[in-house]
Amino acid sequence: MAQSKKVTCLDCGQVNRVPADRLSAGAKCGTCGAKLITGKVAEVDLATLQKAARNDEIPLVVDFWAPWCGPCRMMAPEFSKAAQELSGEARLVKLNTEEHPQAGAKYNIRGIPTMAGFAGGREKARQSGAMPAAQIVNWVKASV
């Protein structure tokens, strides 16, 4: 039997157990039917981020950003390119620190954009500043 991995649905917050070989094959949430691995960046709130960071068995990379931040807006398309390239290896999400200021306090965010990589229920790496897609991909593969 194939090994399974826990993956949190970013739409409804339900934790799903998915066979590892089906992660990239269009696995869907058992509760709401949303795709679990899309290759696209998802916008999350603090509760979803905490649940996914704690439970997911594939790396989760979070971009803490705000709409007024110029470097954040410049990095957004690069973060999306990196999400496509890392599809199946890691999930990339964004958290708007202006809408969720408690997230900045909880994760000790001192400047934006800041990326944090989570694996095994813990924060494994952190990187501040805008980066191009190739550098984001390399950072995720080396650090998370």
Side-chain angles (χ1 to χ4, degrees):
M1 182 158 151
Q3 183 180 2
S4 62
K5 296 201 177 257
K6 290 192 289 186
V7 180
T8 304
C9 177
L10 299 175
D11 286 354
C12 72
Q14 180 65 41
V15 178
N16 294 265
R17 190 166 289 283
V18 181
D21 59 348
R22 294 211 9 114
L23 278 175
S24 297
K28 294 183 179 179
C29 175
T31 301
C32 73
K35 280 187 135 186
L36 296 172
I37 307 291
T38 63
K40 296 180 180 174
V41 176
E43 184 77 36
V44 297
D45 60 14
L46 179 58
T48 303
L49 169 60
Q50 288 179 297
K51 192 169 190 179
R54 184 176 55 247
N55 293 304
D56 283 11
E57 293 177 341
I58 64 169
L60 179 73
V61 179
V62 185
D63 174 20
F64 292 93
W65 73 289
W68 51 262
C69 169
C72 297
R73 289 195 317 266
M74 286 174 35
M75 191 173 95
E78 298 299 310
F79 198 67
S80 292
K81 288 178 197 172
Q84 288 177 323
E85 192 169 330
L86 291 165
S87 183
E89 295 178 60
R91 292 198 301 172
L92 277 63
V93 300
K94 296 176 88 59
L95 187 136
N96 183 336
T97 57
E98 191 169 280
E99 288 181 9
H100 307 284
Q102 67 279 24
K106 166 117 177 90
Y107 289 102
N108 200 24
I109 303 302
R110 297 288 176 221
I112 53 175
T114 293
M115 291 186 301
F118 296 88
R122 297 185 15 232
E123 183 177 334
K124 296 282 190 175
R126 183 177 286 220
Q127 176 70 44
S128 292
M131 295 191 296
Q135 195 174 350
I136 294 169
V137 169
N138 290 339
W139 177 78
V140 170
K141 288 182 177 182
S143 306
V144 183

